[in-house]
Amino acid sequence: MRDFIQIQLEDIGDVSQVECATFSQVWSPSYFRAALAAPNVLCVGSVEEGELGAYALGFIDAQCFSLSSIAVAPRLWRRGHGEALLRYALAQAVGRGCASARLEVRASNSPALSLYHKVGFTSCQRLVKYYDNPLEDGLELVFDLG
């Protein structure tokens, strides 16, 4: 059974573990501490069997939720955790007055693109040489939450 939580400072170690297991470029624990201190942050997680298995971090600016990162621990891949957490985060954003959402994703990240399109995001623009390690294009996706 999975539960959703609001990520707190004491969860940063677990968030970092999920981050490091998922991405080639990772944010440091100090980045997460600073992000959680921001008044416009929305950071939620999914807990299964007492362990953080996924997190989503984003920021609200005016009425737009900008998803900065979403990660699911590899042990939970292909089990619906990413979709459930993304839908939960978007619902939280709506509850905080957001009318739209946006994100960037590696152009080669087919599983993520499939998830985002399934949920309702559409491609807005190509971001040439946006990512490092490896160098590649990104895509900006948008979603009307109204």
Side-chain angles (χ1 to χ4, degrees):
M1 180 175 155
R2 94 182 54 123
D3 294 310
F4 297 110
I5 63 167
Q6 298 295 316
I7 297 292
Q8 305 295 320
L9 284 174
E10 59 267 17
D11 301 315
I12 289 176
D14 295 331
V15 168
S16 291
Q17 276 188 313
V18 173
E19 173 89 355
C20 289
T22 308
F23 298 118
S24 61
Q25 287 184 289
V26 297
W27 286 338
S28 68
S30 62
Y31 171 83
F32 286 106
R33 275 192 288 284
L36 289 178
N40 62 334
V41 71
L42 192 160
C43 191
V44 294
S46 173
V47 175
E48 185 169 292
E49 297 175 7
E51 281 188 59
L52 184 75
Y55 79 87
L57 169 72
F59 298 91
I60 297 170
D61 184 24
Q63 293 183 315
C64 181
F65 174 58
S66 294
L67 182 67
S68 296
S69 184
I70 184 168
V72 177
R75 65 184 163 77
L76 299 175
W77 286 356
R78 306 254 182 243
R79 294 178 44 200
H81 288 268
E83 181 179 352
L85 182 60
L86 179 57
R87 290 185 186 279
Y88 179 78
L90 294 172
Q92 293 291 301
V94 168
R96 290 179 57 182
C98 291
S100 64
R102 61 171 301 281
L103 59 86
E104 294 97 25
V105 61
R106 286 181 181 270
S108 67
N109 191 341
S110 297
L113 285 165
S114 177
L115 167 64
Y116 297 142
H117 289 137
K118 179 179 181 181
V119 169
F121 281 87
T122 58
S123 295
C124 175
Q125 68 175 322
R126 187 166 201 91
L127 307 166
V128 178
K129 297 181 183 176
Y130 187 75
Y131 289 99
D132 295 326
N133 195 23
L135 182 65
E136 71 176 284
D137 291 354
L139 298 173
E140 181 179 5
L141 306 181
V142 294
F143 184 36
D144 181 2
L145 298 172

